[in-house]
Amino acid sequence: MRLCILGGGLAGFSTAAILSKYNSDLQIKLIHNPSKQALAVGESTQLPIQNLFQFLDIKESEWMKECDATYKLGVRFQDFNFGTHYFNPFGKSHVDTNEWFIAKDLCNLTPDQSAFFFNPDQAALLHYNKIRDDVTHSYHFNATKLSNYLENFARKNGVEIVKDNYRDSIQDERGTIRALLCDEGTHFADYFVDCTGFKALLIGNAMGAEWISYDKTLLNDTVFKAEIPYKDKDTELKNYTDSVALKNGWCFDIPLWSHRSVGYVHSSNFDTSKVIQDELFKLYGELDYQEIRFKTGRHKEGWINNVIAVGASYGFTEPLEATNISATLNSIFALAEALSKRNLRVTQVDRDMYNVRNAETLDKFRFFVEQHYVLSLRDDSNYWRHIADNINWDYQTASDFNYQNFLKEVYEKRRYGHEDVSALAVAAGQDYSCLSKDKITNFEFKIDNFYRDVNTFIDHASKQLTSYQYLNQHIYDEN
C-alpha cells in the first residue's frame, strides 16, 4: 500500500516515524515545503508524549539534547482567580480526591495546598523546582528540532522525504484522491494523510469536511511568542510550565535548555494589539515577538474516502494545558491501528471508528481547557466579564466529559467523579467546591497528619537536585 503524507512539522514527521515502524509493508512518502514554517506553539506536553518515544524505542539520552528538551512535572497556574496560584501535578492520586472539598472547608485549607493533598510527592518537587529519578514527567522541547529529529528517524526507516510545493489534487468520479499535483511532479498513492495544519488542504479544501468551531467558548485566537535568555539558569529553568492569566488571556513560560519560550495567548476581540502588547511587556519587559494566529475547533470528520487528517488539519483547542500534541498522537495511533487490523484493508467501519475516537478525544480536551475559564472568578476586564456572564457552555459534544455532566456530578451526587485527576485539580485550584457544606458530616480528617506528611515530602524534595542540575548531570553534561 502506498501512503502519502502532505506536510511536515511535528504532525507530519511523527506520523511518518510511527507508521514506518508500525507496519513495514507501507510504502510511505512525505511531501513538505521547508520554506513554509510549521506551527510551533506546542513546546509543552502532557504524559501521552511518552507513548511516542516508547513506541519508537528512543531513549532520553538520544533525543533530549538534540531538541533543547527539559523535564516537565506539572503545570503552575496563577491569577485565573486573581491573586491565587496552584499546581496541577502529573501522576495519580492515592486518595479519594473528592475528599479535598470537605477537608478544605473543615480546616480552612487554601487552593495552593490542594496539590499536596492529591499528590504530595510530586507537589513538593514542583514547589522546590527539584527532580529525582523515576519521577512522573513529560517534556518541554523545541518543536522544530524534534520535527527534524523525527524526519531523520523516518528517513532511516525507509520513508521517502520529498521537498515540493502542493498545488492541487487529482480526484476520480467518487471524490477519491488519486494523486497530488506539486511544482516538481505528480505523486500517486492509495491513502493521503493531511498534515497541512490550519490550512487543511486535503480534508478541508479537497474533501470539503465540515468545520465545527470552538470559538464561542474558547475565545483565544492569537499568540505573541518570544524567547528570553536565562539570567540565572539554576533558578529560572523550572520543572513546570508556568501559566499566568492576564486581562485578555494568559501567558505561558516554557523552560527549554537554551532559553525561556514565552507567549501571550489571547483574544484579539476585546482590546487593541497595543494594549495586549503592553500587558506582555509589563510581565516580561520589552522584547521582540512573533505573532501567530490560530483557530479553535475540529472537522466533523477526520477521515473521508482515502484522506485522513492528523494534527491541526483535523482540529485544535488552544495552547492551555498542552493538549494538542496528545490529540495528534491519538490520531496517529488510531490510524496505525486501523491500517493494521486487517492487513491494510480498510472499510467504512474503520473510518467511522477513527472519526468517533478523534471527535471524542478533542471534545474532551475542549471542556478540560474550558474548565479553567468556567470556574474563574475574574471580572476585571471585558474579556473575563464575557467569560463569566455571556458564554453558553452547553453545546453538542462527542464527549461525556462536558458541562452538563459536570453540573449533574456536582448538584446530584455532591461530588466530581471524573476519572481524570487533572480535572479535579483544576476545580480545587480554582477554589470551586464540588460539595455543599451541608453534606459535611462524619468525616475524619486529621489536619496534623496532613501537615506532617507534607513536611516529610518537602524535606525529601529539598534535598534533591534542581531541574537545571539534574539535566546538566544526566543529559547535557556542560561542566
Side-chain angles (χ1 to χ4, degrees):
M1 176 189 287
R2 299 168 301 173
L3 185 140
C4 181
I5 302 166
L6 180 62
L10 197 55
F13 290 117
S14 294
T15 301
I18 290 171
L19 292 184
S20 66
K21 183 169 182 179
Y22 203 100
N23 195 313
S24 59
D25 292 331
L26 281 172
Q27 299 176 37
I28 303 174
K29 177 188 291 187
L30 186 147
I31 302 168
H32 75 122
N33 185 346
S35 65
K36 296 182 179 180
Q37 186 177 11
L39 178 70
V41 177
E43 295 172 324
S44 181
T45 61
Q46 292 186 330
L47 294 179
I49 190 66
Q50 296 282 8
N51 297 335
L52 171 68
F53 301 110
Q54 290 171 6
F55 178 76
L56 298 180
D57 195 24
I58 300 175
K59 296 179 175 59
E60 291 179 345
S61 59
E62 297 171 355
W63 75 270
M64 287 187 68
K65 192 172 184 177
E66 299 294 322
C67 301
D68 211 13
T70 64
Y71 293 111
K72 175 183 174 183
L73 277 60
V75 187
R76 181 181 179 272
F77 295 95
Q78 179 178 322
D79 290 338
F80 279 79
N81 278 346
F82 199 75
T84 68
H85 75 274
Y86 67 95
F87 281 108
N88 187 348
F90 290 150
K92 295 182 178 180
S93 176
H94 302 293
V95 298
D96 181 351
T97 49
N98 282 279
E99 290 184 357
W100 161 261
F101 302 106
I102 307 174
K104 69 109 174 175
D105 282 333
L106 284 177
C107 303
N108 295 317
L109 299 176
T110 54
D112 60 294
Q113 294 175 302
S114 59
F116 288 96
F117 189 90
F118 298 145
N119 192 334
D121 184 14
Q122 196 89 347
L125 291 168
L126 287 164
H127 179 76
Y128 276 101
N129 188 31
K130 299 296 184 77
I131 297 182
R132 57 169 172 74
D133 294 340
D134 301 321
V135 69
T136 303
H137 68 275
S138 67
Y139 308 98
H140 308 107
F141 52 72
N142 182 306
T144 301
K145 290 183 177 181
L146 181 57
S147 298
N148 295 338
Y149 185 93
L150 294 172
E151 177 183 358
N152 292 329
F153 181 97
R155 184 180 284 109
K156 292 176 183 177
N157 257 20
V159 175
E160 181 184 359
I161 310 292
V162 178
K163 296 179 181 180
D164 210 341
N165 184 56
Y166 170 81
R167 291 167 51 198
D168 204 352
S169 63
I170 299 174
Q171 301 182 38
D172 63 18
E173 64 280 0
R174 296 179 299 174
T176 300
I177 293 182
R178 294 304 178 194
L180 303 183
L181 290 173
C182 298
D183 288 346
E184 303 299 326
T186 303
H187 306 274
F188 293 86
D190 301 301
Y191 286 89
F192 296 87
V193 182
D194 186 348
C195 294
T196 60
F198 294 122
K199 293 180 179 179
L201 296 176
L202 300 184
I203 198 69
N205 292 2
M207 293 291 102
E210 178 185 345
W211 179 253
I212 300 172
S213 179
Y214 293 171
D215 65 359
K216 299 302 181 186
T217 57
L218 292 179
L219 306 181
N220 298 330
D221 56 20
T222 308
V223 182
F224 289 170
K225 183 175 180 289
E227 297 179 359
I228 298 178
Y230 287 113
K231 294 180 180 179
D232 182 355
K233 200 168 185 178
D234 191 41
T235 59
E236 293 176 339
L237 198 162
K238 305 296 186 182
N239 60 7
Y240 54 84
T241 300
D242 204 10
S243 303
V244 180
L246 300 180
K247 289 188 176 182
N248 287 281
W250 62 279
C251 284
F252 60 78
D253 190 340
I254 299 172
L256 303 183
W257 179 251
S258 62
H259 63 273
R260 293 161 57 195
S261 176
V262 302
Y264 190 177
V265 182
H266 63 273
S267 169
S268 60
N269 295 315
F270 293 88
D271 231 324
T272 66
S273 293
K274 177 64 168 58
V275 170
I276 293 168
Q277 173 188 275
D278 289 346
E279 282 190 274
L280 176 69
F281 289 175
K282 183 177 181 181
L283 186 62
Y284 297 120
E286 291 194 17
L287 38 73
D288 295 327
Y289 62 84
Q290 175 189 10
E291 181 176 346
I292 302 173
R293 302 281 297 191
F294 63 87
K295 63 178 182 179
T296 58
R298 64 170 174 85
H299 285 101
K300 184 176 181 180
E301 296 172 293
W303 189 336
I304 299 175
N305 292 345
N306 64 337
V307 173
I308 305 102
V310 169
S313 63
Y314 171 69
F316 191 81
T317 54
E318 68 142 280
L320 189 67
E321 287 283 7
T323 60
N324 292 291
I325 292 177
S326 297
T328 296
L329 292 175
N330 178 75
S331 295
I332 299 170
F333 283 111
L335 172 58
E337 182 180 328
L339 294 175
S340 299
K341 270 186 176 179
R342 294 187 286 189
N343 298 320
L344 303 180
R345 294 191 63 185
V346 173
T347 64
Q348 188 60 39
V349 68
D350 301 298
R351 290 186 284 271
D352 289 341
M353 189 74 69
Y354 181 90
N355 289 330
V356 169
R357 175 174 172 177
N358 282 282
E360 181 180 11
T361 296
L362 206 65
D363 282 3
K364 173 184 174 181
F365 284 150
R366 174 188 182 177
F367 183 63
F368 176 48
V369 172
E370 287 172 353
Q371 189 182 0
H372 298 71
Y373 301 106
V374 168
L375 300 180
S376 175
L377 289 174
R378 286 193 68 149
D379 61 355
D380 58 318
S381 66
N382 290 333
Y383 173 88
W384 287 106
R385 283 190 289 271
H386 180 82
I387 289 172
D389 298 324
N390 298 326
I391 290 181
N392 178 14
W393 302 103
D394 186 16
Y395 49 80
Q396 186 174 358
T397 175
S399 172
D400 61 2
F401 180 46
N402 56 55
Y403 187 64
Q404 277 294 327
N405 286 343
F406 168 77
L407 297 178
K408 290 179 181 178
E409 285 284 338
V410 175
Y411 78 75
E412 286 184 358
K413 300 179 182 179
R414 296 299 192 184
R415 62 186 285 115
Y416 191 10
H418 195 266
E419 72 277 4
D420 191 337
V421 176
S422 290
L424 279 157
V426 173
Q430 302 280 61
D431 202 21
Y432 184 84
S433 182
C434 294
L435 190 74
S436 174
K437 293 184 179 182
D438 65 357
K439 296 294 180 182
I440 300 177
T441 57
N442 300 321
F443 177 70
E444 293 186 6
F445 177 74
K446 297 181 178 179
I447 189 66
D448 291 342
N449 291 348
F450 171 72
Y451 283 120
R452 181 199 62 204
D453 294 341
V454 167
N455 288 332
T456 298
F457 284 109
I458 285 178
D459 181 63
H460 180 68
S462 66
K463 300 173 183 176
Q464 307 304 311
L465 296 176
T466 65
S467 183
Y468 165 75
Q469 291 167 345
Y470 189 92
L471 284 161
N472 195 33
Q473 184 177 113
H474 290 81
I475 302 296
Y476 289 92
D477 192 25
E478 289 189 350
N479 292 334

